[in-house]
Amino acid sequence: MPKFKLTATSRTGQKVNPLGGSSDSVTVYSQADLNRRLKAAKTDPRDLDVKVERLS
């Protein structure tokens, strides 16, 4: 069961979604995976604004 919903949006309008959108969401199943994704977002060149929603 998913534990979090992570939504990333580029503050600079760059493509985040592989289909072309400037925003993308993904469900995350563990705290370790969430931590890995948040760490990666901090150094992403697209200047991501990340929002985390707890699902369970």
Side-chain angles (χ1 to χ4, degrees):
M1 174 181 272
K3 293 186 177 192
F4 305 98
K5 177 181 175 186
L6 185 135
T7 303
T9 304
S10 173
R11 290 184 200 127
T12 59
Q14 295 183 45
K15 187 167 125 176
V16 175
N17 183 319
L19 300 176
S22 63
S23 182
D24 196 12
S25 295
V26 64
T27 53
V28 180
Y29 291 84
S30 71
Q31 184 69 48
D33 188 24
L34 177 65
N35 293 342
R36 181 186 62 79
R37 291 174 183 272
L38 290 173
K39 184 177 178 181
K42 287 181 183 179
T43 60
D44 193 291
R46 295 171 289 188
D47 189 22
L48 298 177
D49 176 33
V50 178
K51 293 185 176 28
V52 177
E53 179 185 343
R54 183 177 287 277
L55 300 177
S56 62

